[in-house]
PDB file of all heavy atoms in Angstrom:
ATOM      1  N   VAL A   1      20.373  79.730   2.381  1.00 95.00           N
ATOM      2  CA  VAL A   1      21.822  79.947   2.347  1.00 95.00           C
ATOM      3  C   VAL A   1      22.361  80.136   3.767  1.00 95.00           C
ATOM      4  O   VAL A   1      23.423  79.618   4.113  1.00 95.00           O
ATOM      5  CB  VAL A   1      22.164  81.137   1.421  1.00 95.00           C
ATOM      6  CG1 VAL A   1      23.633  81.469   1.477  1.00 95.00           C
ATOM      7  CG2 VAL A   1      21.737  80.837  -0.014  1.00 95.00           C
ATOM      8  N   HIS A   2      21.628  80.840   4.601  1.00 96.00           N
ATOM      9  CA  HIS A   2      22.026  81.022   6.001  1.00 96.00           C
ATOM     10  C   HIS A   2      22.138  79.668   6.697  1.00 96.00           C
ATOM     11  O   HIS A   2      23.090  79.428   7.449  1.00 96.00           O
ATOM     12  CB  HIS A   2      21.006  81.915   6.727  1.00 96.00           C
ATOM     13  CG  HIS A   2      21.309  82.138   8.163  1.00 96.00           C
ATOM     14  ND1 HIS A   2      20.846  81.301   9.157  1.00 96.00           N
ATOM     15  CD2 HIS A   2      22.036  83.108   8.786  1.00 96.00           C
ATOM     16  CE1 HIS A   2      21.268  81.746  10.332  1.00 96.00           C
ATOM     17  NE2 HIS A   2      21.991  82.834  10.134  1.00 96.00           N
ATOM     18  N   ALA A   3      21.196  78.783   6.440  1.00 97.00           N
ATOM     19  CA  ALA A   3      21.211  77.454   7.059  1.00 97.00           C
ATOM     20  C   ALA A   3      22.441  76.650   6.647  1.00 97.00           C
ATOM     21  O   ALA A   3      22.893  75.781   7.405  1.00 97.00           O
ATOM     22  CB  ALA A   3      19.932  76.694   6.695  1.00 97.00           C
ATOM     23  N   ARG A   4      22.992  76.954   5.486  1.00 95.00           N
ATOM     24  CA  ARG A   4      24.215  76.276   5.029  1.00 95.00           C
ATOM     25  C   ARG A   4      25.468  76.901   5.622  1.00 95.00           C
ATOM     26  O   ARG A   4      26.569  76.411   5.392  1.00 95.00           O
ATOM     27  CB  ARG A   4      24.308  76.307   3.501  1.00 95.00           C
ATOM     28  CG  ARG A   4      23.268  75.429   2.829  1.00 95.00           C
ATOM     29  CD  ARG A   4      23.437  75.276   1.323  1.00 95.00           C
ATOM     30  NE  ARG A   4      24.504  75.993   0.710  1.00 95.00           N
ATOM     31  CZ  ARG A   4      24.383  76.788  -0.363  1.00 95.00           C
ATOM     32  NH1 ARG A   4      23.214  76.962  -0.914  1.00 95.00           N
ATOM     33  NH2 ARG A   4      25.438  77.387  -0.878  1.00 95.00           N
ATOM     34  N   GLY A   5      25.320  78.013   6.344  1.00 95.00           N
ATOM     35  CA  GLY A   5      26.454  78.639   7.003  1.00 95.00           C
ATOM     36  C   GLY A   5      27.252  79.604   6.156  1.00 95.00           C
ATOM     37  O   GLY A   5      28.355  79.993   6.527  1.00 95.00           O
ATOM     38  N   LEU A   6      26.715  80.016   5.020  1.00 92.00           N
ATOM     39  CA  LEU A   6      27.434  80.940   4.149  1.00 92.00           C
ATOM     40  C   LEU A   6      27.467  82.332   4.789  1.00 92.00           C
ATOM     41  O   LEU A   6      26.456  82.791   5.317  1.00 92.00           O
ATOM     42  CB  LEU A   6      26.724  81.016   2.794  1.00 92.00           C
ATOM     43  CG  LEU A   6      27.529  81.436   1.583  1.00 92.00           C
ATOM     44  CD1 LEU A   6      28.667  80.441   1.315  1.00 92.00           C
ATOM     45  CD2 LEU A   6      26.637  81.519   0.368  1.00 92.00           C
ATOM     46  N   PRO A   7      28.614  83.019   4.767  1.00 91.00           N
ATOM     47  CA  PRO A   7      28.680  84.383   5.312  1.00 91.00           C
ATOM     48  C   PRO A   7      27.743  85.318   4.553  1.00 91.00           C
ATOM     49  O   PRO A   7      27.472  85.129   3.367  1.00 91.00           O
ATOM     50  CB  PRO A   7      30.137  84.796   5.100  1.00 91.00           C
ATOM     51  CG  PRO A   7      30.883  83.524   4.898  1.00 91.00           C
ATOM     52  CD  PRO A   7      29.915  82.559   4.273  1.00 91.00           C
ATOM     53  N   VAL A   8      27.293  86.346   5.226  1.00 89.00           N
ATOM     54  CA  VAL A   8      26.300  87.245   4.653  1.00 89.00           C
ATOM     55  C   VAL A   8      26.801  87.928   3.377  1.00 89.00           C
ATOM     56  O   VAL A   8      26.030  88.128   2.436  1.00 89.00           O
ATOM     57  CB  VAL A   8      25.808  88.271   5.698  1.00 89.00           C
ATOM     58  CG1 VAL A   8      26.899  89.274   6.053  1.00 89.00           C
ATOM     59  CG2 VAL A   8      24.561  88.967   5.207  1.00 89.00           C
ATOM     60  N   GLN A   9      28.090  88.267   3.304  1.00 87.00           N
ATOM     61  CA  GLN A   9      28.606  88.916   2.102  1.00 87.00           C
ATOM     62  C   GLN A   9      28.491  87.978   0.890  1.00 87.00           C
ATOM     63  O   GLN A   9      28.152  88.413  -0.208  1.00 87.00           O
ATOM     64  CB  GLN A   9      30.071  89.344   2.294  1.00 87.00           C
ATOM     65  CG  GLN A   9      30.260  90.466   3.290  1.00 87.00           C
ATOM     66  CD  GLN A   9      30.269  89.978   4.750  1.00 87.00           C
ATOM     67  OE1 GLN A   9      30.178  88.782   5.032  1.00 87.00           O
ATOM     68  NE2 GLN A   9      30.348  90.913   5.668  1.00 87.00           N
ATOM     69  N   GLU A  10      28.763  86.706   1.105  1.00 89.00           N
ATOM     70  CA  GLU A  10      28.630  85.738   0.007  1.00 89.00           C
ATOM     71  C   GLU A  10      27.164  85.519  -0.341  1.00 89.00           C
ATOM     72  O   GLU A  10      26.824  85.326  -1.505  1.00 89.00           O
ATOM     73  CB  GLU A  10      29.303  84.428   0.388  1.00 89.00           C
ATOM     74  CG  GLU A  10      30.814  84.536   0.441  1.00 89.00           C
ATOM     75  CD  GLU A  10      31.480  83.215   0.803  1.00 89.00           C
ATOM     76  OE1 GLU A  10      31.008  82.161   0.322  1.00 89.00           O
ATOM     77  OE2 GLU A  10      32.449  83.252   1.575  1.00 89.00           O
ATOM     78  N   THR A  11      26.307  85.567   0.660  1.00 90.00           N
ATOM     79  CA  THR A  11      24.875  85.430   0.400  1.00 90.00           C
ATOM     80  C   THR A  11      24.391  86.562  -0.493  1.00 90.00           C
ATOM     81  O   THR A  11      23.620  86.347  -1.429  1.00 90.00           O
ATOM     82  CB  THR A  11      24.090  85.420   1.721  1.00 90.00           C
ATOM     83  OG1 THR A  11      24.522  84.298   2.490  1.00 90.00           O
ATOM     84  CG2 THR A  11      22.595  85.335   1.489  1.00 90.00           C
ATOM     85  N   ALA A  12      24.867  87.774  -0.224  1.00 88.00           N
ATOM     86  CA  ALA A  12      24.489  88.915  -1.059  1.00 88.00           C
ATOM     87  C   ALA A  12      24.934  88.691  -2.502  1.00 88.00           C
ATOM     88  O   ALA A  12      24.191  88.992  -3.449  1.00 88.00           O
ATOM     89  CB  ALA A  12      25.095  90.196  -0.492  1.00 88.00           C
ATOM     90  N   GLN A  13      26.124  88.133  -2.687  1.00 87.00           N
ATOM     91  CA  GLN A  13      26.609  87.849  -4.044  1.00 87.00           C
ATOM     92  C   GLN A  13      25.750  86.784  -4.719  1.00 87.00           C
ATOM     93  O   GLN A  13      25.433  86.889  -5.906  1.00 87.00           O
ATOM     94  CB  GLN A  13      28.065  87.412  -3.989  1.00 87.00           C
ATOM     95  CG  GLN A  13      29.001  88.523  -3.582  1.00 87.00           C
ATOM     96  CD  GLN A  13      30.419  88.040  -3.320  1.00 87.00           C
ATOM     97  OE1 GLN A  13      30.687  86.851  -3.247  1.00 87.00           O
ATOM     98  NE2 GLN A  13      31.331  88.988  -3.172  1.00 87.00           N
ATOM     99  N   VAL A  14      25.362  85.764  -3.968  1.00 89.00           N
ATOM    100  CA  VAL A  14      24.486  84.714  -4.505  1.00 89.00           C
ATOM    101  C   VAL A  14      23.161  85.327  -4.949  1.00 89.00           C
ATOM    102  O   VAL A  14      22.673  85.057  -6.049  1.00 89.00           O
ATOM    103  CB  VAL A  14      24.247  83.599  -3.455  1.00 89.00           C
ATOM    104  CG1 VAL A  14      23.096  82.688  -3.864  1.00 89.00           C
ATOM    105  CG2 VAL A  14      25.516  82.799  -3.231  1.00 89.00           C
ATOM    106  N   LEU A  15      22.586  86.163  -4.109  1.00 91.00           N
ATOM    107  CA  LEU A  15      21.303  86.786  -4.440  1.00 91.00           C
ATOM    108  C   LEU A  15      21.413  87.619  -5.714  1.00 91.00           C
ATOM    109  O   LEU A  15      20.537  87.567  -6.573  1.00 91.00           O
ATOM    110  CB  LEU A  15      20.823  87.673  -3.288  1.00 91.00           C
ATOM    111  CG  LEU A  15      20.375  86.960  -2.023  1.00 91.00           C
ATOM    112  CD1 LEU A  15      20.119  87.970  -0.917  1.00 91.00           C
ATOM    113  CD2 LEU A  15      19.140  86.116  -2.270  1.00 91.00           C
ATOM    114  N   ARG A  16      22.471  88.374  -5.836  1.00 87.00           N
ATOM    115  CA  ARG A  16      22.621  89.214  -7.023  1.00 87.00           C
ATOM    116  C   ARG A  16      22.818  88.370  -8.279  1.00 87.00           C
ATOM    117  O   ARG A  16      22.270  88.665  -9.332  1.00 87.00           O
ATOM    118  CB  ARG A  16      23.781  90.191  -6.861  1.00 87.00           C
ATOM    119  CG  ARG A  16      23.803  91.196  -8.011  1.00 87.00           C
ATOM    120  CD  ARG A  16      24.355  92.515  -7.576  1.00 87.00           C
ATOM    121  NE  ARG A  16      24.085  93.536  -8.566  1.00 87.00           N
ATOM    122  CZ  ARG A  16      25.036  94.178  -9.221  1.00 87.00           C
ATOM    123  NH1 ARG A  16      26.301  93.915  -9.006  1.00 87.00           N
ATOM    124  NH2 ARG A  16      24.722  95.106 -10.091  1.00 87.00           N
ATOM    125  N   ARG A  17      23.606  87.301  -8.161  1.00 87.00           N
ATOM    126  CA  ARG A  17      23.809  86.406  -9.314  1.00 87.00           C
ATOM    127  C   ARG A  17      22.486  85.769  -9.745  1.00 87.00           C
ATOM    128  O   ARG A  17      22.247  85.559 -10.920  1.00 87.00           O
ATOM    129  CB  ARG A  17      24.796  85.291  -8.944  1.00 87.00           C
ATOM    130  CG  ARG A  17      26.196  85.511  -9.409  1.00 87.00           C
ATOM    131  CD  ARG A  17      27.063  84.276  -9.332  1.00 87.00           C
ATOM    132  NE  ARG A  17      26.852  83.412  -8.192  1.00 87.00           N
ATOM    133  CZ  ARG A  17      27.468  83.512  -7.010  1.00 87.00           C
ATOM    134  NH1 ARG A  17      28.344  84.457  -6.800  1.00 87.00           N
ATOM    135  NH2 ARG A  17      27.214  82.661  -6.040  1.00 87.00           N
ATOM    136  N   GLU A  18      21.657  85.433  -8.783  1.00 89.00           N
ATOM    137  CA  GLU A  18      20.398  84.736  -9.071  1.00 89.00           C
ATOM    138  C   GLU A  18      19.242  85.687  -9.371  1.00 89.00           C
ATOM    139  O   GLU A  18      18.158  85.228  -9.715  1.00 89.00           O
ATOM    140  CB  GLU A  18      20.022  83.849  -7.889  1.00 89.00           C
ATOM    141  CG  GLU A  18      21.006  82.724  -7.653  1.00 89.00           C
ATOM    142  CD  GLU A  18      20.661  81.891  -6.433  1.00 89.00           C
ATOM    143  OE1 GLU A  18      19.748  82.266  -5.661  1.00 89.00           O
ATOM    144  OE2 GLU A  18      21.309  80.849  -6.245  1.00 89.00           O
ATOM    145  N   HIS A  19      19.454  86.974  -9.215  1.00 85.00           N
ATOM    146  CA  HIS A  19      18.404  87.969  -9.420  1.00 85.00           C
ATOM    147  C   HIS A  19      17.844  87.829 -10.837  1.00 85.00           C
ATOM    148  O   HIS A  19      18.577  87.903 -11.806  1.00 85.00           O
ATOM    149  CB  HIS A  19      18.978  89.369  -9.203  1.00 85.00           C
ATOM    150  CG  HIS A  19      18.020  90.469  -9.472  1.00 85.00           C
ATOM    151  ND1 HIS A  19      16.903  90.675  -8.698  1.00 85.00           N
ATOM    152  CD2 HIS A  19      17.996  91.415 -10.427  1.00 85.00           C
ATOM    153  CE1 HIS A  19      16.242  91.708  -9.169  1.00 85.00           C
ATOM    154  NE2 HIS A  19      16.893  92.180 -10.221  1.00 85.00           N
ATOM    155  N   ARG A  20      16.547  87.613 -10.946  1.00 81.00           N
ATOM    156  CA  ARG A  20      15.959  87.330 -12.244  1.00 81.00           C
ATOM    157  C   ARG A  20      14.923  88.365 -12.692  1.00 81.00           C
ATOM    158  O   ARG A  20      14.311  88.210 -13.714  1.00 81.00           O
ATOM    159  CB  ARG A  20      15.289  85.961 -12.219  1.00 81.00           C
ATOM    160  CG  ARG A  20      16.239  84.860 -11.801  1.00 81.00           C
ATOM    161  CD  ARG A  20      16.152  83.660 -12.670  1.00 81.00           C
ATOM    162  NE  ARG A  20      16.876  82.480 -12.285  1.00 81.00           N
ATOM    163  CZ  ARG A  20      18.046  82.353 -11.716  1.00 81.00           C
ATOM    164  NH1 ARG A  20      18.697  83.402 -11.342  1.00 81.00           N
ATOM    165  NH2 ARG A  20      18.608  81.202 -11.459  1.00 81.00           N
ATOM    166  N   ARG A  21      14.728  89.397 -11.906  1.00 83.00           N
ATOM    167  CA  ARG A  21      13.704  90.384 -12.231  1.00 83.00           C
ATOM    168  C   ARG A  21      14.328  91.555 -12.980  1.00 83.00           C
ATOM    169  O   ARG A  21      14.874  92.468 -12.380  1.00 83.00           O
ATOM    170  CB  ARG A  21      13.026  90.884 -10.953  1.00 83.00           C
ATOM    171  CG  ARG A  21      12.227  89.860 -10.184  1.00 83.00           C
ATOM    172  CD  ARG A  21      10.814  89.701 -10.678  1.00 83.00           C
ATOM    173  NE  ARG A  21      10.080  90.927 -10.774  1.00 83.00           N
ATOM    174  CZ  ARG A  21       9.220  91.370  -9.868  1.00 83.00           C
ATOM    175  NH1 ARG A  21       8.993  90.705  -8.774  1.00 83.00           N
ATOM    176  NH2 ARG A  21       8.590  92.506 -10.070  1.00 83.00           N
ATOM    177  N   ALA A  22      14.238  91.524 -14.299  1.00 83.00           N
ATOM    178  CA  ALA A  22      14.817  92.585 -15.124  1.00 83.00           C
ATOM    179  C   ALA A  22      14.129  93.924 -14.879  1.00 83.00           C
ATOM    180  O   ALA A  22      14.689  94.975 -15.160  1.00 83.00           O
ATOM    181  CB  ALA A  22      14.720  92.208 -16.592  1.00 83.00           C
ATOM    182  N   ASP A  23      12.907  93.887 -14.314  1.00 86.00           N
ATOM    183  CA  ASP A  23      12.171  95.128 -14.090  1.00 86.00           C
ATOM    184  C   ASP A  23      12.578  95.820 -12.792  1.00 86.00           C
ATOM    185  O   ASP A  23      12.086  96.891 -12.482  1.00 86.00           O
ATOM    186  CB  ASP A  23      10.664  94.854 -14.077  1.00 86.00           C
ATOM    187  CG  ASP A  23      10.236  93.900 -12.971  1.00 86.00           C
ATOM    188  OD1 ASP A  23      10.981  92.947 -12.674  1.00 86.00           O
ATOM    189  OD2 ASP A  23       9.147  94.101 -12.399  1.00 86.00           O
ATOM    190  N   LEU A  24      13.486  95.223 -12.027  1.00 85.00           N
ATOM    191  CA  LEU A  24      13.905  95.813 -10.758  1.00 85.00           C
ATOM    192  C   LEU A  24      15.361  96.256 -10.825  1.00 85.00           C
ATOM    193  O   LEU A  24      16.254  95.463 -11.115  1.00 85.00           O
ATOM    194  CB  LEU A  24      13.739  94.807  -9.611  1.00 85.00           C
ATOM    195  CG  LEU A  24      12.318  94.341  -9.305  1.00 85.00           C
ATOM    196  CD1 LEU A  24      12.325  93.359  -8.153  1.00 85.00           C
ATOM    197  CD2 LEU A  24      11.407  95.522  -9.000  1.00 85.00           C
ATOM    198  N   GLY A  25      15.596  97.508 -10.536  1.00 85.00           N
ATOM    199  CA  GLY A  25      16.943  98.044 -10.485  1.00 85.00           C
ATOM    200  C   GLY A  25      17.488  98.051  -9.074  1.00 85.00           C
ATOM    201  O   GLY A  25      16.860  97.543  -8.138  1.00 85.00           O
ATOM    202  N   LEU A  26      18.643  98.640  -8.898  1.00 85.00           N
ATOM    203  CA  LEU A  26      19.304  98.796  -7.607  1.00 85.00           C
ATOM    204  C   LEU A  26      19.515  97.457  -6.898  1.00 85.00           C
ATOM    205  O   LEU A  26      19.232  97.295  -5.712  1.00 85.00           O
ATOM    206  CB  LEU A  26      18.528  99.771  -6.716  1.00 85.00           C
ATOM    207  CG  LEU A  26      18.341 101.175  -7.285  1.00 85.00           C
ATOM    208  CD1 LEU A  26      17.469 102.019  -6.379  1.00 85.00           C
ATOM    209  CD2 LEU A  26      19.666 101.859  -7.543  1.00 85.00           C
ATOM    210  N   THR A  27      20.078  96.514  -7.634  1.00 85.00           N
ATOM    211  CA  THR A  27      20.259  95.168  -7.069  1.00 85.00           C
ATOM    212  C   THR A  27      21.261  95.132  -5.922  1.00 85.00           C
ATOM    213  O   THR A  27      21.285  94.150  -5.171  1.00 85.00           O
ATOM    214  CB  THR A  27      20.685  94.169  -8.161  1.00 85.00           C
ATOM    215  OG1 THR A  27      21.883  94.639  -8.777  1.00 85.00           O
ATOM    216  CG2 THR A  27      19.597  94.003  -9.200  1.00 85.00           C
ATOM    217  N   GLU A  28      22.063  96.196  -5.752  1.00 85.00           N
ATOM    218  CA  GLU A  28      22.960  96.220  -4.601  1.00 85.00           C
ATOM    219  C   GLU A  28      22.183  96.218  -3.284  1.00 85.00           C
ATOM    220  O   GLU A  28      22.713  95.846  -2.242  1.00 85.00           O
ATOM    221  CB  GLU A  28      23.910  97.425  -4.672  1.00 85.00           C
ATOM    222  CG  GLU A  28      23.247  98.772  -4.599  1.00 85.00           C
ATOM    223  CD  GLU A  28      22.764  99.316  -5.938  1.00 85.00           C
ATOM    224  OE1 GLU A  28      22.777  98.587  -6.950  1.00 85.00           O
ATOM    225  OE2 GLU A  28      22.364 100.500  -5.965  1.00 85.00           O
ATOM    226  N   ARG A  29      20.915  96.581  -3.338  1.00 88.00           N
ATOM    227  CA  ARG A  29      20.083  96.549  -2.134  1.00 88.00           C
ATOM    228  C   ARG A  29      19.867  95.128  -1.619  1.00 88.00           C
ATOM    229  O   ARG A  29      19.454  94.941  -0.485  1.00 88.00           O
ATOM    230  CB  ARG A  29      18.744  97.211  -2.409  1.00 88.00           C
ATOM    231  CG  ARG A  29      18.841  98.701  -2.585  1.00 88.00           C
ATOM    232  CD  ARG A  29      17.482  99.268  -2.876  1.00 88.00           C
ATOM    233  NE  ARG A  29      17.502 100.720  -2.923  1.00 88.00           N
ATOM    234  CZ  ARG A  29      16.443 101.440  -3.246  1.00 88.00           C
ATOM    235  NH1 ARG A  29      15.293 100.843  -3.548  1.00 88.00           N
ATOM    236  NH2 ARG A  29      16.526 102.748  -3.267  1.00 88.00           N
TER     237      ARG A  29
END
């Protein structure tokens, strides 16, 4: 995502949307 030039705040949103590990909490990290 960084290579595509997306700002870090949007990257964080992408990561959270794509987060697939139901066993992991605190996704804001």
Side-chain angles (χ1 to χ4, degrees):
V1 174
H2 179 271
R4 290 188 358 231
L6 204 62
V8 69
Q9 292 82 2
E10 290 181 39
T11 299
Q13 292 171 349
V14 167
L15 290 172
R16 188 149 193 243
R17 261 194 322 271
E18 295 177 351
H19 176 66
R20 304 226 188 323
R21 295 275 308 261
D23 61 323
L24 297 180
L26 301 175
T27 57
E28 64 274 9
R29 290 179 174 176

